[in-house]
Structures are given as C-alpha cells and as structure tokens.
Amino acid sequence: MRKILFVLLPFYLIATSFVLPKIPTEKQSFRNDTLSIAKNSESIVNLNLSESQNIFTALDFMNDEKLDEAVFEKAYKGFEKLKKSGQLAAESELLTIADFSKSSNTKRLWVIDLANKKILFNALVAHGMGTGEEFAEHFSNTDSSHQSSLGFYVTETTYNGNNGYSLKLEGMDKGYNDAAFARAIVMHGADYVNENFAAAHKRIGRSWGCPAISRELAEPIINTIKGKNCLFIYYPDENYLNSSEWLKS
C-alpha cells in the first residue's frame, strides 16, 4: 500500500499545481457591469457640460475668493461673442471679471487664463465714489458722476498718467459704458486699495469711476491683460443683463 501511494504521489502533486480559471459569480458579474455603466455615465455627463462649465469646474479657488459660476458663465458668453465679432485679439484667451455685487473688502477681481484653466490673479478692486460705500449700488455712464459703469470692456494700450501706470478701456455696452474712453475710465493702481486701508475705514477707498487696483499689482495685472482682452464688470442689474447684446443668446 505504501508503495502504491509513493508511486501515485508525484502525479497528485502535478495535478493539483494547475489552477483552474476563476469563474466570476453572478454577484461579481453584476458588480462589474454596474461599475462599467457608472464610468460610461460619468463620461457622458462630462461630454454634456458646456465649455464654460468645463473651464469653471477645473478652476482652483483653494487660495482665492470664490467666483460665482453664474457670473463666470455670463462673462464667458460675452467673451465668446466679443471674440467672434473681432473685438478681441485673435489669440486672446484671457478673461478678467470684477464682481461688484460683492463687498469691496473682498478680492472680487479675477484674471483667468481660459486656455490653461487657471486663475492668474485674484485681487481687490475699487468702485467709484458715487457708486457706494463698501458695496456698489449706483452705476452711471455719465461724465463727472464719479460712478462705475457696468458691462464688457476691451483693454487697450497703457500710459503713465496722474495715477501712474494705467490701462485704457473701451466700453462695449451702448448706454452703459460706451462713454468710458471719453470719461477717462481706466484701470490704474491706487494707494487706497489695500487691506490696511479697509481695516482702518471699514472699506477700501474709492475712485472716480475707475476699476482701481493695488499699487503692488497694477503693473503685473495691466501688463497681463492689456492689448485687446476682455474685462467684465458685473452687477445683478436686470435692465443691463436683459439688454446687453453680448449676453443675448
């Protein structure tokens, strides 16, 4: 008997060394199918997102003030229409947004690189003296009103003036900001746009209608956005939002 076992043992070891393929159970197959459907569904959802939604989703606001997606969508719509109409530089992929519905003590200006889906700058920006105190309330397209003007602008050339290094702006919304060039509404640096001023006065300082930024960031921001790029100054004014040609479908 021992001799027989000794003879058969090698054959048993060889036979048991082969591993049969594992056949998935019904439960495992169902789970795999479910995961596959979920992945496909996720891809379909991403394909269904608009270009503005894809860009906004990719933006990292971790160290910046959060921009409202609805504001970004409006700004992006105007940007696209301005570019298609030839108002912006052919290679323009920059969008600057100033959300004047927010407190002037918050960093309510964003410079966004649309091509690379990155926030280049997030900064304080002042509104006009006639527009309000901490919060913007009144807007005008009239000279000497000292009020800010809503709408889309195209950035032009730079110059050195009474407020230092400045950027000329061309207002693109008729009746809302198209007098900006004549009113000398420009982007410039100002000593009153900083957190220390806000802490002392409960608000940052105000301009004569210009979107003024800090002295420290004036040159880098202006040099980034100059030369036929888009600036959008937003406020939830229904008359403006319903009448701007750049926001119409």
Side-chain angles (χ1 to χ4, degrees), residues 15-243:
T16 55
S17 67
F18 290 99
V19 179
L20 293 174
K22 187 175 181 181
I23 301 174
T25 64
E26 184 176 343
K27 183 182 290 186
Q28 289 171 327
S29 297
F30 176 77
R31 183 173 181 275
N32 291 337
D33 290 343
T34 303
L35 289 173
S36 177
I37 292 170
K39 288 180 180 179
N40 290 335
S41 298
E42 184 178 352
S43 298
I44 292 170
V45 169
N46 290 335
L47 287 173
N48 287 336
L49 290 177
S50 67
E51 183 62 22
S52 66
Q53 289 172 320
N54 276 317
I55 294 171
F56 187 84
T57 301
L59 295 177
D60 181 8
F61 292 100
M62 183 172 293
N63 298 315
D64 300 305
E65 184 77 19
K66 181 69 180 292
L67 172 63
D68 292 339
E69 185 172 2
V71 175
F72 176 78
E73 288 180 356
K74 289 178 176 61
Y76 186 79
K77 178 184 284 188
F79 164 83
E80 282 199 310
K81 294 194 74 173
L82 283 164
K83 192 170 182 179
K84 287 177 181 177
S85 70
Q87 302 293 338
L88 304 178
E91 68 279 7
S92 176
E93 291 295 343
L94 293 175
L95 175 57
T96 303
I97 303 171
D99 183 355
F100 279 0
S101 69
K102 293 180 176 290
S103 165
S104 62
N105 295 333
T106 63
K107 294 180 178 180
R108 55 182 180 170
L109 181 133
W110 297 261
V111 179
I112 300 170
D113 179 344
L114 299 172
N116 294 301
K117 302 178 177 63
K118 289 183 178 179
I119 300 170
L120 303 181
F121 298 96
N122 176 218
L124 295 169
V125 58
H127 54 246
M129 295 179 66
T131 289
E133 294 287 331
E134 178 185 345
F135 287 91
E137 296 178 348
H138 311 289
F139 299 89
S140 175
N141 194 35
T142 305
D143 194 21
S144 300
S145 66
H146 294 172
Q147 292 183 19
S148 299
S149 301
L150 296 177
F152 288 93
Y153 296 80
V154 173
T155 62
E156 297 291 345
T157 57
T158 62
Y159 69 98
N160 282 289
N162 293 333
N163 291 302
Y165 194 52
S166 305
L167 175 64
K168 295 178 182 178
L169 302 172
E170 186 72 38
M172 304 305 295
D173 277 295
K174 187 175 181 180
Y176 286 94
N177 67 8
D178 57 338
F181 202 85
R183 292 177 61 201
I185 299 299
V186 300
M187 180 176 282
H188 62 78
D191 295 330
Y192 51 75
V193 181
N194 60 68
E195 294 178 357
N196 290 334
F197 189 102
H201 299 85
K202 308 305 179 185
R203 58 164 173 76
I204 63 170
R206 298 162 300 163
S207 66
W208 280 13
C210 298
I213 54 181
S214 70
R215 293 285 187 196
E216 179 184 8
L217 292 177
E219 189 170 344
I221 288 179
I222 288 172
N223 283 339
T224 298
I225 70 174
K226 66 182 181 180
K228 299 291 184 180
N229 286 298
C230 179
L231 164 65
F232 179 49
I233 295 182
Y234 169 81
Y235 187 81
D237 181 290
E238 291 301 322
N239 289 330
Y240 167 72
L241 296 175
N242 292 328
S243 62

